[in-house]
Amino acid sequence: MNVSIEPAVLVGFCLVLVRATAWTMICPPFNAPAIPLRVRGGFAVGIAFLLAKQMGAQVQSFTTASLIVSLVTQMIAGFALGFVIFALFSVVQTAGELIDLQVGFSMGAVLDPLSGNNSTPIGRFHQLLGLAMLFAINGHVIIVRAFLRSVQVAPLGHINTAALASALTKIVGMLVGAAIEIALPILAALFCSELAIGFLGKAAPQLNLMVIGFAVKTLIAFGLLATMFAMLPESVDSLVGQGIRTALSVFRG
């Protein structure tokens, strides 16, 4: 039995596969090291099969040089789409790391076997909780739809460099502002506890304020984590929507 494949469809499959592979390597929740590479690869192949014909219809003629350029362009487009969402989603972990820094847990950061990086306890906990909430609100489905939409808007992977630069600048500001906003209730309580411990040190210099302060700030941090849990679902939903809008804005269409 002979199976014939149109050259344009085959080229379209390769182009989508490169973009989808680059995207799954960096975009949460698909970039988690706990997900095996073969699973991510199979997911990228499935998307490539789905969009191969649509992408092939955009391919008029190609040579070896133009095909290599198109593959590189698709890889950059996949990384750009995934990085914008990754950067905004890291806000949740950054908020936890700010709390760790204020309490003193950042001194005990160890190598995390899941992420392969040094991570603080509350920061890593917030990251895992954010991923769980992402699945709970069907954020992973929205992110996949955003990828499909990016192929429809810019099948050849052309990126608006001015919009990309503006998006990266906007992301940096949002990263700092949103992280502080999420962690603000606990940071404010820890700041007040620092003031109280300082006044206590003036009133009773014989006390070991380092031990007392660490214990007090730990109790306050864990006692007020529930306030952050109430804010996280809305924050994750907002960050996913903002990340998708920002990511799609860098494509020409």
Side-chain angles (χ1 to χ4, degrees):
M1 182 178 62
N2 295 327
V3 179
S4 61
I5 301 176
E6 297 181 9
V9 176
L10 181 59
V11 172
F13 173 81
C14 295
L15 294 178
V16 178
L17 180 60
V18 170
R19 185 193 288 203
T21 301
W23 172 69
T24 54
M25 290 298 107
I26 192 173
C27 181
F30 313 107
N31 66 334
I35 301 178
L37 289 176
R38 65 182 64 182
V39 175
R40 282 183 271 180
F43 181 63
V45 170
I47 294 179
F49 271 119
L50 179 65
L51 301 175
K53 189 173 182 179
Q54 177 183 341
M55 179 69 78
Q58 303 295 326
V59 179
Q60 303 297 331
S61 61
F62 56 89
T63 61
T64 302
S66 63
L67 180 60
I68 294 176
V69 172
S70 297
L71 291 175
V72 174
T73 303
Q74 293 292 337
M75 183 178 63
I76 295 174
F79 275 124
L81 178 63
F83 177 76
V84 172
I85 300 177
F86 168 78
L88 287 175
F89 196 78
S90 63
V91 167
V92 178
Q93 183 176 0
T94 304
E97 290 176 351
L98 288 175
I99 298 174
D100 284 316
L101 180 63
Q102 187 70 18
V103 175
F105 289 164
S106 58
M107 294 184 297
V110 295
L111 182 64
D112 183 10
L114 293 178
S115 64
N117 300 316
N118 289 337
S119 60
T120 55
I122 298 180
R124 181 58 177 164
F125 177 70
H126 274 74
Q127 184 188 29
L128 295 175
L129 189 61
L131 285 175
M133 291 181 178
L134 180 67
F135 283 103
I137 64 175
N138 284 330
H140 57 294
V141 177
I142 299 174
I143 292 174
V144 173
R145 288 179 178 175
F147 178 82
L148 301 179
R149 177 60 180 166
S150 73
V151 176
Q152 296 175 356
V153 172
L156 299 182
H158 294 155
I159 296 177
N160 189 333
T161 54
L164 180 60
S166 176
L168 293 178
T169 304
K170 184 178 180 180
I171 286 173
V172 173
M174 285 189 59
L175 178 64
V176 177
I180 294 177
E181 181 180 353
I182 294 174
L184 187 59
I186 298 181
L187 292 179
L190 292 175
F191 176 74
C192 293
S193 67
E194 291 277 3
L195 292 179
I197 292 172
F199 289 127
L200 181 62
K202 287 292 185 180
Q206 68 275 13
L207 293 177
N208 190 344
L209 296 182
M210 180 173 294
V211 176
I212 295 176
F214 182 78
V216 169
K217 289 189 291 184
T218 300
L219 290 176
I220 292 175
F222 282 107
L224 295 179
L225 278 177
T227 61
M228 292 190 66
F229 297 161
M231 299 173 58
L232 276 181
E234 183 179 354
S235 300
V236 171
D237 190 14
S238 176
L239 289 172
V240 170
Q242 182 64 37
I244 290 174
R245 289 191 296 270
T246 304
L248 291 180
S249 68
V250 306
F251 292 94
R252 294 171 183 159

PDB file of all heavy atoms in Angstrom, residues 13-23 71-72 74-75 78:
ATOM      1  N   PHE A  13       3.714  20.426   8.673  1.00  0.00           N
ATOM      2  CA  PHE A  13       3.868  19.611   9.888  1.00  0.00           C
ATOM      3  C   PHE A  13       5.185  19.918  10.587  1.00  0.00           C
ATOM      4  O   PHE A  13       5.228  20.077  11.816  1.00  0.00           O
ATOM      5  CB  PHE A  13       3.790  18.125   9.507  1.00  0.00           C
ATOM      6  CG  PHE A  13       4.111  17.198  10.641  1.00  0.00           C
ATOM      7  CD1 PHE A  13       3.150  16.884  11.592  1.00  0.00           C
ATOM      8  CD2 PHE A  13       5.381  16.638  10.759  1.00  0.00           C
ATOM      9  CE1 PHE A  13       3.453  16.022  12.637  1.00  0.00           C
ATOM     10  CE2 PHE A  13       5.685  15.780  11.797  1.00  0.00           C
ATOM     11  CZ  PHE A  13       4.717  15.472  12.742  1.00  0.00           C
ATOM     12  N   CYS A  14       6.256  20.011   9.817  1.00  0.00           N
ATOM     13  CA  CYS A  14       7.571  20.296  10.409  1.00  0.00           C
ATOM     14  C   CYS A  14       7.605  21.675  11.052  1.00  0.00           C
ATOM     15  O   CYS A  14       8.166  21.854  12.143  1.00  0.00           O
ATOM     16  CB  CYS A  14       8.657  20.175   9.338  1.00  0.00           C
ATOM     17  SG  CYS A  14       8.876  18.507   8.679  1.00  0.00           S
ATOM     18  N   LEU A  15       6.991  22.653  10.393  1.00  0.00           N
ATOM     19  CA  LEU A  15       6.996  24.013  10.939  1.00  0.00           C
ATOM     20  C   LEU A  15       6.225  24.077  12.252  1.00  0.00           C
ATOM     21  O   LEU A  15       6.685  24.669  13.240  1.00  0.00           O
ATOM     22  CB  LEU A  15       6.397  24.983   9.918  1.00  0.00           C
ATOM     23  CG  LEU A  15       7.186  25.191   8.622  1.00  0.00           C
ATOM     24  CD1 LEU A  15       6.446  26.128   7.681  1.00  0.00           C
ATOM     25  CD2 LEU A  15       8.584  25.724   8.908  1.00  0.00           C
ATOM     26  N   VAL A  16       5.040  23.480  12.281  1.00  0.00           N
ATOM     27  CA  VAL A  16       4.245  23.501  13.513  1.00  0.00           C
ATOM     28  C   VAL A  16       4.934  22.699  14.611  1.00  0.00           C
ATOM     29  O   VAL A  16       4.909  23.070  15.784  1.00  0.00           O
ATOM     30  CB  VAL A  16       2.833  22.948  13.247  1.00  0.00           C
ATOM     31  CG1 VAL A  16       2.021  22.935  14.540  1.00  0.00           C
ATOM     32  CG2 VAL A  16       2.119  23.781  12.202  1.00  0.00           C
ATOM     33  N   LEU A  17       5.572  21.594  14.236  1.00  0.00           N
ATOM     34  CA  LEU A  17       6.253  20.766  15.229  1.00  0.00           C
ATOM     35  C   LEU A  17       7.374  21.530  15.917  1.00  0.00           C
ATOM     36  O   LEU A  17       7.546  21.438  17.144  1.00  0.00           O
ATOM     37  CB  LEU A  17       6.803  19.511  14.559  1.00  0.00           C
ATOM     38  CG  LEU A  17       7.550  18.524  15.481  1.00  0.00           C
ATOM     39  CD1 LEU A  17       6.635  18.016  16.580  1.00  0.00           C
ATOM     40  CD2 LEU A  17       8.118  17.371  14.671  1.00  0.00           C
ATOM     41  N   VAL A  18       8.135  22.298  15.150  1.00  0.00           N
ATOM     42  CA  VAL A  18       9.222  23.083  15.735  1.00  0.00           C
ATOM     43  C   VAL A  18       8.669  24.139  16.682  1.00  0.00           C
ATOM     44  O   VAL A  18       9.165  24.320  17.803  1.00  0.00           O
ATOM     45  CB  VAL A  18      10.069  23.733  14.623  1.00  0.00           C
ATOM     46  CG1 VAL A  18      11.044  24.738  15.213  1.00  0.00           C
ATOM     47  CG2 VAL A  18      10.829  22.667  13.850  1.00  0.00           C
ATOM     48  N   ARG A  19       7.603  24.838  16.254  1.00  0.00           N
ATOM     49  CA  ARG A  19       7.029  25.868  17.121  1.00  0.00           C
ATOM     50  C   ARG A  19       6.429  25.242  18.383  1.00  0.00           C
ATOM     51  O   ARG A  19       6.621  25.762  19.488  1.00  0.00           O
ATOM     52  CB  ARG A  19       5.957  26.668  16.377  1.00  0.00           C
ATOM     53  CG  ARG A  19       5.419  27.823  17.216  1.00  0.00           C
ATOM     54  CD  ARG A  19       4.148  28.437  16.647  1.00  0.00           C
ATOM     55  NE  ARG A  19       4.377  29.202  15.443  1.00  0.00           N
ATOM     56  CZ  ARG A  19       3.549  30.169  15.011  1.00  0.00           C
ATOM     57  NH1 ARG A  19       2.471  30.462  15.699  1.00  0.00           N
ATOM     58  NH2 ARG A  19       3.803  30.803  13.893  1.00  0.00           N
ATOM     59  N   ALA A  20       5.698  24.148  18.237  1.00  0.00           N
ATOM     60  CA  ALA A  20       5.062  23.516  19.387  1.00  0.00           C
ATOM     61  C   ALA A  20       6.102  22.951  20.355  1.00  0.00           C
ATOM     62  O   ALA A  20       5.925  23.016  21.577  1.00  0.00           O
ATOM     63  CB  ALA A  20       4.115  22.413  18.919  1.00  0.00           C
ATOM     64  N   THR A  21       7.183  22.392  19.831  1.00  0.00           N
ATOM     65  CA  THR A  21       8.226  21.846  20.704  1.00  0.00           C
ATOM     66  C   THR A  21       8.888  22.955  21.515  1.00  0.00           C
ATOM     67  O   THR A  21       9.104  22.817  22.731  1.00  0.00           O
ATOM     68  CB  THR A  21       9.278  21.107  19.870  1.00  0.00           C
ATOM     69  OG1 THR A  21       8.650  20.047  19.128  1.00  0.00           O
ATOM     70  CG2 THR A  21      10.350  20.505  20.762  1.00  0.00           C
ATOM     71  N   ALA A  22       9.237  24.053  20.854  1.00  0.00           N
ATOM     72  CA  ALA A  22       9.836  25.181  21.570  1.00  0.00           C
ATOM     73  C   ALA A  22       8.880  25.747  22.604  1.00  0.00           C
ATOM     74  O   ALA A  22       9.294  26.126  23.714  1.00  0.00           O
ATOM     75  CB  ALA A  22      10.244  26.269  20.570  1.00  0.00           C
ATOM     76  N   TRP A  23       7.601  25.763  22.276  1.00  0.00           N
ATOM     77  CA  TRP A  23       6.590  26.309  23.185  1.00  0.00           C
ATOM     78  C   TRP A  23       6.418  25.425  24.418  1.00  0.00           C
ATOM     79  O   TRP A  23       6.372  25.916  25.541  1.00  0.00           O
ATOM     80  CB  TRP A  23       5.278  26.445  22.417  1.00  0.00           C
ATOM     81  CG  TRP A  23       4.098  26.815  23.242  1.00  0.00           C
ATOM     82  CD1 TRP A  23       3.862  28.009  23.861  1.00  0.00           C
ATOM     83  CD2 TRP A  23       2.967  25.980  23.529  1.00  0.00           C
ATOM     84  NE1 TRP A  23       2.662  27.973  24.511  1.00  0.00           N
ATOM     85  CE2 TRP A  23       2.090  26.744  24.324  1.00  0.00           C
ATOM     86  CE3 TRP A  23       2.616  24.689  23.172  1.00  0.00           C
ATOM     87  CZ2 TRP A  23       0.875  26.238  24.774  1.00  0.00           C
ATOM     88  CZ3 TRP A  23       1.412  24.184  23.625  1.00  0.00           C
ATOM     89  CH2 TRP A  23       0.556  24.946  24.414  1.00  0.00           C
ATOM     90  N   LEU A  71      12.069  27.471   9.801  1.00  0.00           N
ATOM     91  CA  LEU A  71      12.167  26.655  11.016  1.00  0.00           C
ATOM     92  C   LEU A  71      12.707  27.470  12.196  1.00  0.00           C
ATOM     93  O   LEU A  71      12.209  27.371  13.314  1.00  0.00           O
ATOM     94  CB  LEU A  71      13.055  25.439  10.758  1.00  0.00           C
ATOM     95  CG  LEU A  71      12.492  24.371   9.809  1.00  0.00           C
ATOM     96  CD1 LEU A  71      13.533  23.293   9.546  1.00  0.00           C
ATOM     97  CD2 LEU A  71      11.226  23.743  10.386  1.00  0.00           C
ATOM     98  N   VAL A  72      13.718  28.291  11.919  1.00  0.00           N
ATOM     99  CA  VAL A  72      14.272  29.148  12.977  1.00  0.00           C
ATOM    100  C   VAL A  72      13.233  30.167  13.435  1.00  0.00           C
ATOM    101  O   VAL A  72      13.078  30.435  14.640  1.00  0.00           O
ATOM    102  CB  VAL A  72      15.552  29.843  12.483  1.00  0.00           C
ATOM    103  CG1 VAL A  72      16.050  30.853  13.513  1.00  0.00           C
ATOM    104  CG2 VAL A  72      16.638  28.821  12.185  1.00  0.00           C
ATOM    105  N   GLN A  74       9.974  29.831  13.330  1.00  0.00           N
ATOM    106  CA  GLN A  74       8.960  29.130  14.120  1.00  0.00           C
ATOM    107  C   GLN A  74       9.463  28.832  15.526  1.00  0.00           C
ATOM    108  O   GLN A  74       8.710  28.932  16.506  1.00  0.00           O
ATOM    109  CB  GLN A  74       8.578  27.825  13.410  1.00  0.00           C
ATOM    110  CG  GLN A  74       7.848  27.999  12.093  1.00  0.00           C
ATOM    111  CD  GLN A  74       6.466  28.574  12.262  1.00  0.00           C
ATOM    112  OE1 GLN A  74       5.859  28.475  13.323  1.00  0.00           O
ATOM    113  NE2 GLN A  74       5.950  29.185  11.211  1.00  0.00           N
ATOM    114  N   MET A  75      10.726  28.482  15.660  1.00  0.00           N
ATOM    115  CA  MET A  75      11.291  28.210  16.977  1.00  0.00           C
ATOM    116  C   MET A  75      11.279  29.472  17.836  1.00  0.00           C
ATOM    117  O   MET A  75      10.915  29.437  19.021  1.00  0.00           O
ATOM    118  CB  MET A  75      12.712  27.669  16.845  1.00  0.00           C
ATOM    119  CG  MET A  75      13.350  27.291  18.172  1.00  0.00           C
ATOM    120  SD  MET A  75      15.017  26.610  17.978  1.00  0.00           S
ATOM    121  CE  MET A  75      15.881  28.017  17.266  1.00  0.00           C
ATOM    122  N   GLY A  78       7.729  30.179  18.956  1.00  0.00           N
ATOM    123  CA  GLY A  78       7.311  29.312  20.057  1.00  0.00           C
ATOM    124  C   GLY A  78       7.921  29.724  21.382  1.00  0.00           C
ATOM    125  O   GLY A  78       7.228  29.755  22.407  1.00  0.00           O
TER     126      GLY A  78
END
